[in-house]
Amino acid sequence: MSGTPPPPLRADVKIRKNHSQGETTYILKEPDSGSYYRFDAAQYLMLTLFDGRKDHDALVSAFDAASDEYAYDLEALASLIDSAREFKLLQRSKKEENIALLEKMKADRKGRMLQAQGSLMLMRFHLVDPNAAFEKIVGHLRWVWTPMTVKASLLLMGVAILVGISQASRFSEDFQEVFRFQAEGGWNFLKIWLVALTAIAFHETAHGLTCKNYGGDVDDMGFLLLAFQPCLYCNVNDAWMFENNRHKIYVAMAGIWIELVLAACAVFVWLVTDINNPVGRTAFMLVTISTAASLFMNLNPLLKYDGYYILSDWLQVPNLRQNAIDWFSHWLKTRLFRIQDETPLRPTRRERRIYLIYGSLTVTYLTILMSGLGFMLYDMVANSVGMAGIVLFLWLVAKLTKMLTGSWSKTLKELGMNALFKTTRRRLATAGGLAVFGVLLFAWSPQISIATKGKVDAQFLTMYAREGGFVTQVNYDAGRRLTVAPGQPLVTLRAPGLDLERARLLSRRQNQDLNRNRALTTGDRKLLQRMDIEARLVDEQMRALADRARYLTIAAPAGDWLVEGPPPVNLEGRYFGAGTTLLKLMPARQRHINVVLSQADLALVAEGNTALIQLRGDAPAILVGKVWRVTPVTRMDGNNRLFQVRIHLHIPDTMPSPPPDTEGEVKIYGEKVPLWLHILRPIRQGLRADLWI
């Protein structure tokens, strides 16, 4: 006997047999989590032999007796048992059932709170379990999936297309009228968005009802944020368990089909109405949105929407997209660039053709799409949103690029190194060319100027309440100027708690004096010694109390300061806790402007460099400044470290001190640097390379 007999499969596990490309697999659905697991024929046969009585040796023997095609060993059996336990497919003990029930109750409570699931770019929010409702609805709608209905809908769409073609001129005029976002404003955009959301609701409901019609369960429906765009979803993963491959295709096609049917019906409504009528306008929006979304997005097999799943199920090639991209990448490396690369998978001859065609089309399509969108959106984001938008935009581009390229950055680096340094002749040619290029670029070193923006700031001095209390005296005027000399009380506090503590200690001291006199009278030495000890303790507490009382007076610092805070009348009588801020003091004349430079630009600047500053405002002024201090900013921008440069301002006596947070344009005259830096810097700025290099 070896190994504890594994329990049998749970009775509530759903099992479906699947045939694809001559291979038989079994899909098991764990009911608690709704997760799906695929097993091959040998693994499933072994799972069916689990009865809770056979140990490992007996199971292997039973398997060998039941199968002439496959063989099983103890190691493979142990791995299968571990997987089945991990997937929660085996019967559980009563204790395990209770634990699972508690976990399910916790999950249900979390579900009521709309817990978001997914990644940042795809967040799902469960709203409802529509399975029971779909069960009732499908019973009355069986006719929808009959051949007669399909033929009638095809005829309807065909007639609608002919009507649309015959009314092409009117369609063009109405399109320009309805989708004039600038002229119509946000209300028109909201109406279009609501129509689109309604079409998506029908789309997802069609997926769910079709899945239910062919025997699947639909237990999850809600809304999601797809790249921060709200829309709806319906989980039809049960279609994976369908034995009939056509039913999977029908489920994937149902959303597109219902949108096209709705669009066809809306064509006839638009035909007999005018877009100035709310009904006609809504119908026209439904025609354009549903048709465009269905034909150019959902039906496009190169994007991972319904068209992709239809193609994948039709070809009976699971995980088509990722496998095709991996295989196409491997083909490029080995055939085009002659690079040794490990084969990512071992497809059949038919799959190789499919992967090569689909992979090349997908990579080409996504590259063109990303490049076009990138060039179109970059200037808009850079000019309207600023640095935060640029960083987010580049992050999205990097994510999509990584999805397309995978390990290609490393491959291109290896290709470049081989092209330049693989042979001695190549190394010599490369070295000679670099030497000539370096001489040209490093021969001239003019002074460089760095244009940036900044904000006026001052060295604030914060005054804290070291002991909690009520403000009794404030020595600055309504103009926020100090009215006392340095070292004199600026703010005085009174702490009732300290007063009570002092009174308590004085009362305790009086009691000690009485006890001491009684001890002297009676000659009680022990009492006398104890009173001496307590007296010393009270003295220490009184000294500590006096030290704390000194903190109630905050002295004015040396220098010419202005108070950055409320008027004195608003401060008197207020309570401040220990450690809280009482006042902030700002120098009356000293100002500096803070600018942030990248590490590359910082190398061009040194302390003492001259700067010109043009402040914004009603009366713009140009000031001269000197680079005063360089300190690291407490953040990283990608791989780039940012530095804060403080420029000390020379403020003329005839000019008032600019208030903090005043913005201005700053031009720093930096060091003399080689010409190549003058050439590189505008290129880097134009590409915003300082954000990601």
Side-chain angles (χ1 to χ4, degrees):
M1 301 283 288
S2 67
T4 304
L9 285 172
R10 290 169 54 180
D12 53 355
V13 170
K14 290 188 176 181
I15 303 170
R16 290 292 185 273
K17 189 176 182 180
N18 185 275
H19 294 280
S20 177
Q21 298 298 309
E23 181 182 357
T24 301
T25 58
Y26 292 83
I27 300 175
L28 278 64
K29 178 182 179 182
E30 196 276 313
D32 294 337
S33 63
S35 300
Y36 300 83
Y37 305 101
R38 187 186 298 270
F39 295 90
D40 59 33
Q43 291 172 325
Y44 177 72
L45 176 58
M46 177 60 81
L47 288 173
T48 61
L49 298 175
F50 291 2
D51 57 5
R53 296 187 300 273
K54 296 185 183 73
D55 63 6
H56 292 194
D57 289 334
L59 286 171
V60 171
S61 299
F63 183 91
D64 292 339
S67 175
D68 296 331
E69 184 178 0
Y70 305 105
Y72 236 89
D73 56 28
L74 292 175
E75 183 178 355
L77 175 60
S79 176
L80 178 64
I81 294 173
D82 291 340
S83 297
R85 290 185 186 278
E86 180 183 354
F87 300 155
K88 300 179 181 179
L89 300 175
L90 302 181
Q91 288 184 9
R92 298 172 292 203
S93 63
K94 191 171 183 180
K95 180 179 179 180
E96 291 173 335
E97 287 287 351
N98 292 334
I99 294 174
L101 181 60
L102 290 174
E103 291 178 351
K104 189 174 186 305
M105 293 173 63
K106 292 179 181 178
D108 291 341
R109 285 196 296 269
K110 289 182 179 179
R112 299 189 193 103
M113 299 173 66
L114 292 180
Q115 294 293 317
Q117 298 177 349
S119 63
L120 181 63
M121 300 303 297
L122 179 61
M123 299 180 66
R124 296 186 303 159
F125 298 84
H126 171 78
L127 286 181
V128 67
D129 180 351
N131 198 55
F134 281 0
E135 183 73 39
K136 296 178 181 178
I137 295 173
V138 165
H140 301 286
L141 295 178
R142 298 290 184 189
W143 56 271
V144 171
W145 294 276
T146 61
M148 183 63 69
T149 302
V150 173
K151 294 176 182 178
S153 60
L154 283 173
L155 179 61
L156 177 67
M157 286 186 277
V159 174
I161 292 173
L162 294 177
V163 170
I165 294 174
S166 66
Q167 298 290 317
S169 177
R170 178 189 169 190
F171 183 92
S172 177
E173 294 175 358
D174 288 353
F175 185 87
Q176 295 179 19
E177 178 69 22
V178 170
F179 291 95
R180 289 190 308 166
F181 294 108
Q182 294 181 349
E184 296 293 335
W187 173 241
N188 188 57
F189 178 82
L190 179 61
K191 290 188 290 186
I192 293 172
W193 184 78
L194 290 175
V195 171
L197 204 62
T198 303
I200 294 173
F202 278 98
H203 179 108
E204 297 301 326
T205 302
H207 282 313
L209 290 173
T210 305
C211 182
K212 193 65 184 175
N213 178 68
Y214 292 112
D217 287 332
V218 183
D219 53 11
D220 182 18
M221 196 171 184
F223 75 95
L224 57 82
L225 294 177
L226 180 61
F228 308 107
Q229 168 65 34
C231 51
L232 304 175
Y233 78 91
C234 185
N235 191 333
V236 291
N237 287 343
D238 249 28
W240 296 346
M241 304 186 70
F242 292 167
E243 295 185 32
N244 192 329
N245 194 58
R246 287 183 301 169
H247 293 170
K248 299 179 186 179
I249 297 175
Y250 296 160
V251 172
M253 189 66 191
I256 298 173
W257 194 270
I258 193 63
E259 282 200 73
L260 292 177
V261 169
L262 288 174
C265 295
V267 166
F268 298 101
V269 177
W270 165 70
L271 184 64
V272 298
T273 56
D274 190 83
I275 60 168
N276 294 321
N277 183 294
V279 176
R281 196 178 191 88
T282 302
F284 185 79
M285 290 179 182
L286 186 60
V287 170
T288 53
I289 293 172
S290 295
T291 304
S294 297
L295 298 181
F296 301 113
M297 180 174 290
N298 286 318
L299 201 58
N300 185 352
L302 300 179
L303 296 174
K304 205 169 183 180
Y305 294 119
D306 295 337
Y308 163 76
Y309 294 105
I310 293 170
L311 178 64
S312 179
D313 290 332
W314 178 61
L315 296 175
Q316 296 187 14
V317 179
N319 202 20
L320 170 63
R321 184 188 186 86
Q322 189 59 52
N323 288 346
I325 292 176
D326 290 343
W327 183 257
F328 180 64
S329 175
H330 170 73
W331 182 87
L332 285 177
K333 292 176 182 178
T334 56
R335 300 294 181 87
L336 184 61
F337 297 109
R338 305 297 179 181
I339 298 175
Q340 295 295 327
D341 183 57
E342 184 179 354
T343 304
L345 61 161
R346 301 200 176 275
T348 63
R349 185 176 180 181
R350 172 180 178 270
E351 289 174 337
R352 285 199 297 269
R353 291 197 305 270
I354 293 172
Y355 290 160
L356 190 58
I357 296 172
Y358 184 82
S360 61
L361 291 175
T362 301
V363 170
T364 303
Y365 176 79
L366 291 180
T367 301
I368 295 173
L369 182 65
M370 286 179 57
S371 300
L373 289 175
F375 286 114
M376 182 178 64
L377 296 176
Y378 180 81
D379 287 338
M380 182 181 68
V381 172
N383 295 328
S384 61
V385 182
M387 182 175 292
I390 295 170
V391 173
L392 178 59
F393 175 78
L394 292 177
W395 178 79
L396 293 173
V397 171
K399 284 288 186 182
L400 293 175
T401 303
K402 183 179 180 181
M403 183 174 64
L404 280 175
T405 61
S407 61
W408 269 93
S409 58
K410 181 179 178 181
T411 301
L412 293 176
K413 180 180 177 182
E414 293 178 357
L415 287 172
M417 295 297 291
N418 290 336
L420 295 175
F421 305 106
K422 187 174 182 180
T423 65
T424 303
R425 184 175 180 179
R426 290 183 183 180
R427 287 195 294 269
L428 290 174
T430 301
L434 291 175
V436 173
F437 188 66
V439 169
L440 293 176
L441 290 179
F442 286 87
W444 184 32
S445 297
Q447 188 179 27
I448 195 168
S449 62
I450 301 169
T452 183
K453 298 179 181 180
K455 283 187 178 181
V456 174
D457 198 2
Q459 289 290 101
F460 286 93
L461 179 62
T462 304
M463 314 296 288
Y464 295 97
R466 298 182 64 182
E467 189 69 39
F470 294 91
V471 176
T472 59
Q473 185 180 10
V474 181
N475 291 318
Y476 64 90
D477 57 25
R480 309 298 204 278
R481 286 193 169 274
L482 308 189
T483 57
V484 294
Q488 297 297 315
L490 175 60
V491 179
T492 304
L493 303 170
R494 184 180 66 82
L498 294 184
D499 295 339
L500 292 174
E501 181 67 15
R502 186 181 296 106
R504 186 185 67 79
L505 291 176
L506 290 175
S507 175
R508 186 175 174 185
R509 171 63 64 79
Q510 292 176 357
N511 290 333
Q512 289 175 352
D513 291 342
L514 292 175
N515 289 333
R516 180 181 177 81
N517 292 335
R518 185 168 66 251
L520 291 172
T521 303
T522 59
D524 189 344
R525 289 192 165 194
K526 290 184 178 181
L527 180 59
L528 186 62
Q529 290 176 353
R530 190 172 52 135
M531 290 301 104
D532 289 340
I533 295 172
E534 291 185 3
R536 287 194 295 271
L537 180 60
V538 170
D539 289 341
E540 291 177 1
Q541 293 177 344
M542 290 291 287
R543 285 193 294 272
L545 203 62
D547 291 338
R548 293 175 61 188
R550 283 196 290 272
Y551 296 148
L552 296 174
T553 301
I554 291 90
D560 187 10
W561 299 91
L562 296 175
V563 174
E564 185 76 8
V569 66
N570 293 346
L571 201 64
E572 293 179 354
R574 288 181 56 186
Y575 177 81
F576 289 86
T580 57
T581 301
L582 277 171
L583 296 172
K584 284 188 176 182
L585 303 183
M586 177 178 61
R589 297 294 296 171
Q590 296 179 4
R591 294 289 185 276
H592 59 265
I593 187 165
N594 294 325
V595 299
V596 176
L597 299 180
S598 67
Q599 192 165 6
D601 286 342
L602 188 71
L604 310 175
V605 175
E607 294 184 5
N609 286 146
T610 302
L612 295 181
I613 301 97
Q614 183 175 15
L615 299 178
R616 299 175 185 173
D618 296 335
I622 297 179
L623 302 176
V624 178
K626 292 286 185 181
V627 175
W628 175 32
R629 185 180 301 168
V630 178
T631 56
V633 174
T634 57
R635 66 186 176 93
M636 297 289 291
D637 195 355
N639 294 326
N640 188 29
R641 189 180 181 190
L642 298 182
F643 289 81
Q644 179 176 278
V645 176
R646 290 185 176 181
I647 301 173
H648 183 73
L649 299 180
H650 299 286
I651 305 172
D653 295 337
T654 57
M655 177 182 172
S657 299
D661 294 333
T662 302
E663 296 183 347
E665 304 291 334
V666 181
K667 187 176 184 180
I668 304 173
Y669 291 94
E671 300 294 285
K672 291 184 177 181
V673 297
L675 182 60
W676 69 270
L677 281 176
H678 289 261
I679 299 173
L680 178 64
R681 190 171 183 278
I683 296 174
R684 189 181 71 245
Q685 286 183 323
L687 296 175
R688 303 300 200 273
D690 55 313
L691 297 176
W692 49 272
I693 288 181

